[in-house]
Amino acid sequence: MKLAYWMYAGPAHIGTLRIASSFRKVHAIMHAPLGDDYYNVMRSMLERKRDFTPVTASVVDRHVLARGSQEKVIQNISRKDKEEKPDLVILTPTCTSSILQEDLQNFVSRASQDTKADILLADVNHYRVNELQAADRTLEQVIKFYIEKYEKTQNLVTEKTPTPSVNIIGPCNLTFHGQHDIAELKRLLADLGLRVNLILPESASVDDIKNIPRAWFNIVPYREIGLLTATYLQKKFDIPFVDRPPIGILETANFIRNIQKILNNAGIDKDFENYIDVQTRFISQSAWFSRSIDCQNLLGKTAVVFGDATHSAALTKILAKEMGIKVLVAGTYCKHQEKWFRSEVQQVCDEVLLTDDHTLVADMIAKLEPSAIFGTQMERHIGKRLNIPCGVISAPVHIQNFPLSYRPFMGYEGSNQIADLIYNSFTLGMEDHLLEIFGGHDTKGIETSALTTELEWDLQALTELKTIPGFVRGKVKRNVEKFAKNHNITKISLDVMYACKENGNV
Amino acid sequence: MDPKQQLLNTNSFRFECETGNYHTFCPISCVAWLYQKIEDSFFLVIGTKTCGYFLQNALGVMIFAEPRYAMAELEEADISAHLNDYMELKRLCTIIKKDRNPSVIFWIGTCTTEIIKMDLEGIAPKLEAELGIPIIVARANGLDYAFTQGEDTVLASLAQSYGLKTITQNPANNSSKLILFGSVPNAVVHELTNELNSFGVEVGGWLPAKRYTEFPILKEKDFVCGVNPYLSRTATTLMRRRKCHLIGAPFPIGPDGTRAWIEKICSIFNKPVSGLKERENKIWKMLEVYTDLLKGKSVFFMGDNLLEISLARFLIRCGMVVFEIGIPYMDKRYQGAELLLLEKTCAEKGIFLPIIVEKPDNYNQVDRIKDLEPDLVITGMAHANPLEARGINTKWSVEFTFSQIHGFTNAKNILDLISKPLLRKINKDVCFSN
């Protein structure tokens, strides 16, 4: 047992559901107790999706516990098959089904005998993998299943597209700034004269999978999801892939150079150096920004970076190499990415941290007292507590990190966004210190002194007043005092407060 | 037949039971409000990453405020019994005792502890003796319960054991007290207590109180009355194990419910309720700004928190029409007085009785919503945005659980929540398109 208050990566089934609900016409059925369909809330709330989340539960209750799921799972599968007419149903195990050890594979094969949809059992174990690993596996599993299926039916299209094209593998629901990154990637690829063959799984249908081999190469923008699929496709069809996240000016250039190399190997004579130069110097503002006087002020400032492997590594390199900021610690909760992560950041930070325990991260930040933190929502709260500014750079995040406006992290526009994020974090921190040094502009006390002080509050009433949330406390206080004055009451007790409330004066 | 017409033709309660395929919160969510209510408590949820993920996402920012709850996250070695449950729990509870020094630790059992049959009830007394802290075990799992029923399991455990061992009953004082049960914010406790006091009924205590050390002592023949509609196990435990008398009353939600609740309690203690009707009318008068807007509008409860019957009854009294009351679980005995009041309200308003759907099926409900086109659907967050995108007004049901809704003065809060989506629709200045 582990005493845990918070976790960075979610349970395995969340990863499977993220993949399933990203495809079009794929339905996931969770083998889970009542209340475990919380994923639907997250997708509907955080991503503000307009469609119903294609996830239902085959509810595990007392009866199932006593007698086994028996026909229930199969009934639920065939019911969804008729209601929604999906192309694929993914039966999703949860922690509960992991320990029930029912033969779900058997249910799948029995159900698929009389459904129009294909049925798959997600091959993930709750106790062995986390959300991100599960998503990576499920995507590979779906792709592999359909490649083999189309191979058998000879529907697979293996002929390459006439002009160079790519598959983008990995973007899915609830990806941190995912929609914006896809748009930015598409723009970048168009600039390079590349067509996007497929984006998987976001908005793809399983029917599209037969066209996968048509792409000249694959791009895996995020280290966490898509690598297994890209590796499989490389083995199977000899499709090369680029797995450098194009985040930051330098890494975007490296990303483009990798693409150039692949194209050159395929016999296409392309030279993108001029493009990189023009974009870096004139289109993107962040290269100029790092030379500007503002950025000089940042030189030698310290930072701690923590997040998923992709974003934490990218931000560490941007801070250290592009802005001259000293990264005290670069860390990630993606422990399975350790080797890659270390090799990426070892040279540009003082210390590498691999942990999924947020208290360790908090202790480390408290000890080092960096000028700014770049991390997840958890680090933002740690920063709040310690009065250190924090820029949010990685999942897990709250709803405010699913912005409506265009906020990519990738490509040249992405580097502008990141430069703003970094700069704003540090300036705000500076402002804080200046205020402290010069005594600040304290506004406390102004609000409460706006009204007369001749009214007396007894202890009980004062205690009650303190329980009222700060942002309305002043208003409540004023209203109660007004009420008391109107009724010629000089001492405010709890009863006066309630009488005021009852008369609708809150 | 037109579905609306079909509904209008019914004149007695129709109870239906569907597949139970509906969205609701896991009952472990009760730690969110219970840890805040019981100030000296610590809640330890013994479950998996799935439970932790739910709590962390559902409770949002509360997580960061040094909460007095945590997960005892079960790992593979726990599941396969390679580790000793007793030793593991002892280790964690020792840490909790050292760091937080609570007056009581609640162990919340989950689906996993049920399935692997972890003997929490057996381990607790031993550890309690060793650590010197009371340990209360509640099985608030998704195999058996929905959302607010979590509170019911916790309060039922408390009702079963609280004070039995430590407090010797004083035989000299055997007058029957009134004890109210249900976790409500302290402001509501104050208001409801004052309400009863003003009619000469003394409240002997609340279960739960602000602190574990201030909980009321339960005696045989004490009177107990619930303030929340989802506390049937607690009520049963109080009656059967502690031999208390249950006062079956409608719940003090809405001015009509509050009045009926006070009337019922006063009638037990033979206290006259003069002026109560006038008080209710005064509140209704103040609610007119809302009721004018709500009159004639229709509501559909998809059902997820067991407040549905009381809320529907109040909204019908406000002049609304209720098409369907979805509800996770319907205890016709515990909610008997509330059901009667609902029936009476419908008769007085000349309105058909809504159909009550236990263990609803959300998919079928969405179909019915499309047919009935209600003005407002009260639903969970999983369906709210998709329904809004289809032009259907929604209100998150969870907000009713986390708002102050009891007593005369809080009726306004309920109608505030209800009217918000309707006001948005009639606000012509804002342009909506789908």
Side-chain angles (χ1 to χ4, degrees):
Chain A
M1 277 181 217
K2 203 168 83 181
L3 192 63
Y5 293 87
W6 204 75
M7 70 183 81
Y8 284 103
H13 70 268
I14 297 287
T16 299
L17 298 180
R18 281 176 63 186
I19 298 298
S21 62
S22 299
F23 277 110
R24 274 184 289 132
K25 294 188 76 181
V26 172
H27 200 98
I29 293 187
M30 295 169 69
H31 188 238
L34 195 66
D36 271 2
D37 59 349
Y38 193 73
Y39 174 75
N40 297 33
V41 175
M42 293 181 63
R43 183 173 177 273
S44 170
M45 293 307 298
L46 297 177
E47 296 231 48
R48 304 180 189 89
K49 291 282 185 191
R50 295 170 195 226
D51 54 334
F52 289 99
T53 303
V55 174
T56 35
S58 174
V59 177
V60 177
D61 55 15
R62 275 289 154 191
H63 297 288
V64 170
L65 224 54
R67 312 178 306 136
S69 296
Q70 294 186 357
E71 300 300 316
K72 197 172 182 182
V73 172
I74 298 168
Q75 273 165 11
N76 277 317
I77 293 174
S78 53
R79 180 183 161 187
K80 274 304 142 198
D81 184 52
K82 289 190 191 78
E83 283 170 356
E84 309 269 359
K85 302 187 176 53
D87 295 329
L88 168 69
V89 173
I90 300 180
L91 183 59
T92 310
T94 58
C95 58
T96 308
S97 57
S98 276
I99 39 176
L100 282 178
Q101 297 193 326
E102 286 191 281
D103 191 357
L104 294 178
Q105 188 56 54
N106 178 36
F107 294 157
V108 164
S109 38
R110 274 174 59 202
S112 52
Q113 282 164 8
D114 31 48
T115 52
K116 285 219 171 59
D118 297 311
I119 321 284
L120 272 179
L121 171 66
D123 176 27
V124 293
N125 179 330
H126 174 92
Y127 294 96
R128 303 274 168 87
V129 294
N130 68 22
E131 168 188 355
L132 298 165
Q133 293 163 296
D136 201 10
R137 278 180 195 212
T138 305
L139 181 60
E140 184 205 23
Q141 195 189 354
V142 172
I143 302 292
K144 208 167 158 185
F145 174 81
Y146 278 101
I147 294 278
E148 282 164 11
K149 181 180 168 179
Y150 293 134
E151 219 168 23
K152 245 179 247 161
T153 54
Q154 298 185 325
N155 280 329
L156 210 60
V157 191
T158 47
E159 180 199 352
K160 296 283 172 206
T161 54
T163 56
S165 63
V166 298
N167 297 321
I168 302 175
I169 298 175
C172 61
N173 282 180
L174 293 172
T175 300
F176 179 71
H177 291 236
Q179 295 292 348
H180 314 284
D181 281 347
I182 293 178
E184 189 60 22
L185 270 178
K186 278 184 178 166
R187 198 164 80 174
L188 177 64
L189 295 169
D191 281 355
L192 301 179
L194 294 164
R195 264 196 36 216
V196 175
N197 183 51
L198 279 177
I199 298 170
L200 291 165
E202 188 65 61
S203 301
S205 79
V206 294
D207 195 43
D208 293 334
I209 293 175
K210 65 172 181 287
N211 290 319
I212 284 183
R214 301 200 69 197
W216 291 40
F217 65 98
N218 292 324
I219 288 171
V220 183
Y222 307 101
R223 297 287 308 176
E224 288 77 17
I225 302 173
L227 270 182
L228 284 177
T229 308
T231 316
Y232 164 75
L233 293 171
Q234 187 180 39
K235 269 195 202 131
K236 179 95 188 162
F237 301 108
D238 203 20
I239 305 177
F241 64 89
V242 181
D243 62 352
R244 298 211 72 80
I247 303 178
I249 290 281
L250 296 175
E251 277 304 306
T252 304
N254 284 338
F255 172 81
I256 296 172
R257 287 188 189 110
N258 274 0
I259 290 176
Q260 181 182 317
K261 207 162 133 199
I262 287 175
L263 289 175
N264 292 348
N265 287 344
I268 304 281
D269 184 29
K270 287 263 191 189
D271 182 1
F272 294 131
E273 286 305 325
N274 193 37
Y275 173 79
I276 294 172
D277 184 54
V278 170
Q279 288 288 327
T280 307
R281 286 200 296 147
F282 304 110
I283 306 301
S284 160
Q285 297 296 309
S286 63
W288 156 238
F289 170 76
S290 44
R291 285 192 4 251
S292 74
I293 196 75
D294 278 337
C295 211
Q296 205 181 71
N297 285 335
L298 299 183
L299 196 71
K301 286 252 175 303
T302 56
V304 165
V305 187
F306 196 84
D308 62 21
T310 301
H311 290 91
S312 180
L315 256 289
T316 302
K317 282 184 278 183
I318 293 171
L319 289 167
K321 291 186 181 174
E322 297 181 23
M323 305 206 164
I325 291 159
K326 190 172 168 60
V327 179
L328 302 173
V329 174
T332 180
Y333 56 85
C334 299
K335 290 203 250 177
H336 61 287
Q337 298 271 358
E338 171 161 10
K339 209 173 138 209
W340 179 82
F341 188 76
R342 277 192 193 281
S343 70
E344 287 294 298
V345 301
Q346 209 136 38
Q347 307 300 321
V348 289
C349 67
D350 292 359
E351 200 186 319
V352 179
L353 178 71
L354 281 120
T355 182
D356 51 11
D357 180 355
H358 69 91
T359 53
L360 272 183
V361 180
D363 290 349
M364 180 206 64
I365 292 173
K367 194 181 80 200
L368 294 172
E369 291 186 63
S371 345
I373 313 166
F374 297 92
T376 71
Q377 203 52 239
M378 182 39 107
E379 282 67 47
R380 194 173 73 90
H381 284 271
I382 294 170
K384 253 190 188 168
R385 213 163 49 213
L386 300 170
N387 249 328
I388 301 172
C390 176
V392 175
I393 54 138
S394 157
V397 290
H398 287 335
I399 193 158
Q400 66 262 39
N401 294 106
F402 288 88
L404 302 179
S405 57
Y406 188 52
R407 296 274 179 80
F409 264 58
M410 295 191 163
Y412 290 105
E413 176 54 26
S415 60
N416 288 340
Q417 296 286 343
I418 294 171
D420 276 341
L421 179 78
I422 293 173
Y423 181 64
N424 288 342
S425 305
F426 279 107
T427 342
L428 291 174
M430 283 279 285
E431 218 170 295
D432 239 24
H433 287 305
L434 289 175
L435 283 172
E436 211 158 273
I437 291 163
F438 296 114
H441 38 69
D442 188 14
T443 52
K444 280 171 210 146
I446 291 176
E447 182 192 49
T448 41
S449 62
L451 238 112
T452 51
T453 46
E454 62 206 53
L455 287 165
E456 197 189 328
W457 287 68
D458 75 10
L459 193 67
Q460 256 190 320
L462 268 182
T463 324
E464 180 65 26
L465 188 68
K466 274 183 201 142
T467 64
I468 294 164
F471 59 96
V472 287
R473 197 178 301 148
K475 194 177 161 203
V476 171
K477 189 171 184 226
R478 279 193 298 277
N479 280 337
V480 173
E481 292 186 345
K482 206 158 78 190
F483 174 84
K485 269 182 150 182
N486 289 341
H487 291 79
N488 292 323
I489 300 167
T490 49
K491 184 162 182 171
I492 293 169
S493 66
L494 214 45
D495 291 329
V496 176
M497 286 180 83
Y498 283 103
C500 168
K501 189 180 175 197
E502 196 171 321
N503 281 273
N505 296 314
V506 182
Chain B
M1 206 185 341
D2 176 33
K4 276 185 197 170
Q5 195 55 46
Q6 202 175 348
L7 277 180
L8 284 166
N9 291 342
T10 9
N11 53 8
S12 65
F13 274 125
R14 214 147 48 89
F15 290 100
E16 283 195 3
C17 185
E18 283 191 299
T19 61
N21 221 318
Y22 62 102
H23 166 75
T24 182
F25 273 15
C26 173
I28 59 171
S29 52
C30 69
V31 306
W33 63 88
L34 287 175
Y35 96 81
Q36 288 186 324
K37 173 73 199 180
I38 309 170
E39 290 167 7
D40 52 354
S41 62
F42 192 97
F43 284 79
L44 185 67
V45 182
I46 304 160
T48 60
K49 249 182 165 10
T50 307
C51 313
Y53 196 65
F54 162 71
L55 277 181
Q56 132 177 3
N57 283 294
L59 309 184
V61 288
M62 277 194 236
I63 295 280
F64 304 104
E66 289 268 326
R68 277 175 285 100
Y69 65 80
M71 291 293 307
E73 196 183 306
L74 300 170
E75 292 166 300
E76 203 163 11
D78 297 302
I79 303 303
S80 54
H82 279 133
L83 291 172
N84 181 296
D85 300 336
Y86 172 79
M87 295 307 291
E88 290 296 296
L89 284 166
K90 183 177 172 182
R91 188 169 58 82
L92 300 194
C93 288
T94 309
I95 301 174
I96 292 166
K97 188 186 172 189
K98 190 175 127 259
D99 291 353
R100 308 292 181 99
N101 197 24
S103 307
V104 58
I105 298 178
F106 288 89
W107 285 355
I108 304 295
T110 61
C111 302
T112 310
T113 57
E114 286 297 310
I115 296 171
I116 64 174
K117 298 191 166 53
M118 195 182 277
D119 182 21
L120 297 177
E121 280 91 348
I123 300 172
K126 287 184 214 152
L127 265 187
E128 197 172 72
E130 267 184 71
L131 295 174
I133 299 180
I135 295 173
I136 310 276
V137 181
R139 303 176 171 204
N141 62 68
L143 295 167
D144 300 305
Y145 305 109
F147 197 8
T148 48
Q149 287 180 293
E151 176 182 319
D152 194 21
T153 63
V154 173
L155 296 191
S157 302
L158 277 170
Q160 184 152 340
S161 62
Y162 183 73
L164 277 188
K165 271 176 285 179
T166 47
I167 295 131
T168 45
Q169 304 222 341
N170 180 3
N173 178 16
N174 53 8
S175 65
S176 291
K177 285 182 311 207
L178 169 66
I179 286 160
L180 301 174
F181 59 95
S183 166
V184 283
N186 296 333
V188 174
V189 167
H190 183 88
E191 185 177 333
L192 291 179
T193 307
N194 272 4
E195 224 46 271
L196 290 174
N197 284 347
S198 69
F199 293 105
V201 176
E202 203 192 316
V203 178
W206 282 74
L207 185 79
K210 253 192 334 200
R211 300 178 67 82
Y212 180 75
T213 46
E214 294 167 7
F215 280 9
I217 313 298
L218 295 156
K219 292 197 317 300
E220 270 184 32
K221 300 208 172 89
D222 273 344
F223 287 95
V224 290
C225 187
V227 296
N228 285 324
Y230 40 78
L231 298 175
S232 42
R233 279 173 63 89
T234 311
T236 312
T237 310
L238 287 168
M239 283 192 293
R240 296 208 183 135
R241 308 288 297 236
R242 308 303 292 257
K243 308 275 184 274
C244 298
H245 297 302
L246 177 72
I247 303 175
F251 301 101
I253 292 169
D256 48 341
T258 307
R259 182 183 136 213
W261 183 75
I262 295 171
E263 269 177 354
K264 184 67 199 271
I265 293 173
C266 287
S267 76
I268 299 285
F269 292 94
N270 289 321
K271 304 281 181 190
V273 286
S274 54
L276 185 59
K277 178 78 192 150
E278 290 68 34
R279 266 178 66 75
E280 189 198 346
N281 287 341
K282 194 176 139 201
I283 300 291
W284 281 115
K285 190 84 194 147
M286 275 190 310
L287 295 177
E288 257 168 25
V289 274
Y290 297 101
T291 47
D292 287 349
L293 170 81
L294 299 177
K295 212 164 283 171
K297 299 269 195 311
S298 55
V299 197
F300 189 109
F301 285 88
M302 285 184 81
D304 75 343
N305 60 12
L306 283 93
L307 293 170
E308 291 87 2
I309 304 281
S310 310
L311 288 175
R313 178 259 304 149
F314 170 46
L315 294 183
I316 291 170
R317 177 61 69 187
C318 290
M320 297 186 87
V321 177
V322 175
F323 285 151
E324 173 168 331
I325 307 177
I327 186 166
Y329 168 71
M330 180 74 238
D331 184 335
K332 287 178 201 161
R333 280 175 65 193
Y334 178 63
Q335 294 222 41
E338 184 63 86
L339 282 171
L340 275 177
L341 184 59
L342 172 62
E343 207 171 336
K344 199 173 128 219
T345 306
C346 288
E348 281 173 17
K349 292 301 243 181
I351 266 175
F352 61 87
L353 280 172
I355 174 174
I356 296 174
V357 181
E358 217 181 330
K359 288 168 159 273
D361 184 302
N362 281 166
Y363 186 86
N364 297 344
Q365 283 184 316
V366 170
D367 261 358
R368 294 200 286 273
I369 288 168
K370 280 180 189 156
D371 290 340
L372 293 162
E373 295 176 342
D375 294 307
L376 184 67
V377 174
I378 297 176
T379 179
M381 297 195 222
H383 294 102
N385 266 339
L387 285 171
E388 290 282 350
R390 281 154 188 77
I392 292 163
N393 270 317
T394 61
K395 185 74 225 163
W396 296 343
S397 49
V398 181
E399 289 188 68
F400 296 104
T401 322
F402 294 122
S403 305
Q404 299 191 4
I405 59 169
H406 297 77
F408 281 126
T409 64
N410 290 316
K412 183 177 164 291
N413 294 349
I414 305 175
L415 298 188
D416 247 341
L417 292 173
I418 293 286
S419 54
K420 216 169 260 172
L422 295 168
L423 276 171
R424 189 166 83 160
K425 196 173 191 185
I426 54 174
N427 188 352
K428 298 279 192 296
D429 295 339
V430 188
C431 170
F432 292 110
S433 61
N434 290 302

